[in-house]
Amino acid sequence: MNFLFSINRTFIPLLLNCVNSILKNGDIDEYVAYVLHSDLETEDMSSIQSAVGKQMNFHFVSVPISLFEGFPISRRYPQQIYYRLAAPLLLPPELKRVLYLDVDTIVINSLTELETMPFGEACFMACTHVQKPLAKLNQARLGIEQEVPYINSGVMLLNLPLFRKHLDLAEIRAFTNKKKSILFLPDQDILTALYGDHVKLLDSLRYNLSDRVLAFHNAKSQQEKLDVEWVRKNSVIVHYCGRSKPWKEHYHGSLGVFYQELVK
């Protein structure tokens, strides 16, 4: 199975945690990882491969900083968040499908379903973390005419041959320059606005579960309440998105137990 990550040097420890969770729980025979970056040194690459061993074969893809020069960045949103938008053009042309993961995700169950899940006519599969009313507000904010889900870009299964046909970096730059002042979650705004009509939605409770998504689900009176044991049996990928992380102080959430079990 092919994996994709996009990092700078500061995210190496989280990358290794995510990879360790894949190797522990992914239940796949062969793992290959592609890492998009701009600042990794040779020793960084060697240490990553050495830490993982032969269980996963790494390929490091250096991305020119100029590719996304001028795009909005901050401490929370470094330039590397945009690299995944260009992934179909940056990865080897013979590659057919790849699972992109933010490094603040961990895998807690088998990935075999995702390994073979059919794309249909979709360029990618992903989840949404927002309800329809907020999705409509985002559509209005971004000037999207058609009704599309607001995409969470932390977990994406990419249909590379089809995505390559639709992807236009000049269009991405033009949109970003036009909307720069109103971009809130920049890469997700761009992905939703330009490619939201090419997505096949996945169940966020299974494939991109955050503490907030779980809390929203349990707050609905008509829904069955889900606890940690339900997550342990049914969810595949846990995503510690947002500012509250179990490896930081003052974390509040029930899903941190899976991170603690991974690193103990």
Side-chain angles (χ1 to χ4, degrees):
M1 188 171 184
N2 300 311
F3 294 87
L4 176 66
F5 303 98
S6 181
I7 68 167
N8 59 38
R9 296 185 74 195
T10 63
F11 289 107
I12 292 176
L14 289 179
L15 168 67
L16 293 177
N17 282 338
C18 181
V19 168
N20 286 337
S21 76
I22 293 169
L23 299 179
K24 180 181 179 182
N25 300 313
D27 193 29
I28 303 292
D29 292 334
E30 184 178 355
Y31 297 101
V32 178
Y34 295 85
V35 179
L36 305 179
H37 72 96
S38 293
D39 66 347
L40 296 185
E41 304 289 345
T42 301
E43 55 266 32
D44 296 322
M45 303 177 200
S46 297
S47 66
I48 291 170
Q49 186 65 75
S50 296
V52 176
K54 297 181 179 180
Q55 292 179 281
M56 180 176 287
N57 187 22
F58 279 87
H59 300 275
F60 297 92
V61 181
S62 180
V63 181
I65 294 177
S66 60
L67 192 63
F68 291 102
E69 188 175 5
F71 279 55
I73 61 171
S74 65
R75 183 176 180 182
R76 187 178 179 189
Y77 302 115
Q79 192 186 58
Q80 287 73 24
I81 65 171
Y82 300 107
Y83 292 177
R84 53 193 158 186
L85 299 178
L89 303 180
L90 297 171
L91 294 172
E94 65 274 13
L95 205 61
K96 303 301 182 186
R97 61 192 288 152
V98 66
L99 177 62
Y100 171 83
L101 294 176
D102 274 355
V103 292
D104 58 357
T105 62
I106 61 170
V107 172
I108 64 171
N109 275 309
S110 173
L111 292 165
T112 52
E113 280 188 79
L114 287 179
E115 186 182 27
T116 57
M117 188 177 291
F119 286 102
E121 299 300 317
C123 288
F124 66 110
M125 301 186 218
C127 299
T128 181
H129 281 184
V130 303
Q131 303 299 312
K132 279 192 175 182
L134 184 54
K136 288 184 178 295
L137 288 175
N138 282 316
Q139 289 167 29
R141 174 175 62 88
L142 297 170
I144 307 171
E145 294 183 1
Q146 69 272 45
E147 184 173 333
V148 297
Y150 187 80
I151 305 302
N152 184 284
S153 57
V155 179
M156 296 189 294
L157 192 60
L158 305 181
N159 181 356
L160 295 172
L162 186 58
F163 216 150
R164 290 183 186 109
K165 294 180 180 180
H166 290 275
L167 188 64
D168 186 338
L169 292 182
E171 182 183 31
I172 289 175
R173 179 169 290 279
F175 176 85
T176 303
N177 288 337
K178 182 179 179 180
K179 301 288 187 178
K180 187 180 296 186
S181 63
I182 55 93
L183 295 181
F184 177 57
L185 300 172
D187 65 308
Q188 294 186 166
D189 286 349
I190 296 167
L191 184 69
T192 298
L194 297 182
Y195 305 106
D197 57 342
H198 295 291
V199 68
K200 177 180 178 179
L201 282 181
L202 298 174
D203 182 357
S204 59
L205 291 172
R206 296 199 65 212
Y207 296 111
N208 192 339
L209 180 63
S210 68
D211 282 303
R212 181 175 296 178
V213 166
L214 184 61
F216 280 165
H217 174 90
N218 286 338
K220 296 178 181 178
S221 58
Q222 72 274 22
Q223 300 277 19
E224 175 192 0
K225 300 299 185 287
L226 307 180
D227 58 15
V228 168
E229 290 312 307
W230 183 95
V231 174
R232 191 182 300 279
K233 294 176 182 178
N234 295 280
S235 297
V236 177
I237 300 171
V238 171
H239 188 184
Y240 299 110
C241 53
R243 297 183 182 276
S244 183
K245 315 281 191 184
W247 49 90
K248 294 182 178 180
E249 292 184 353
H250 311 301
Y251 167 76
H252 300 287
S254 60
L255 299 179
V257 62
F258 300 106
Y259 173 79
Q260 299 300 333
E261 289 172 357
L262 178 68
V263 300
K264 69 179 179 181

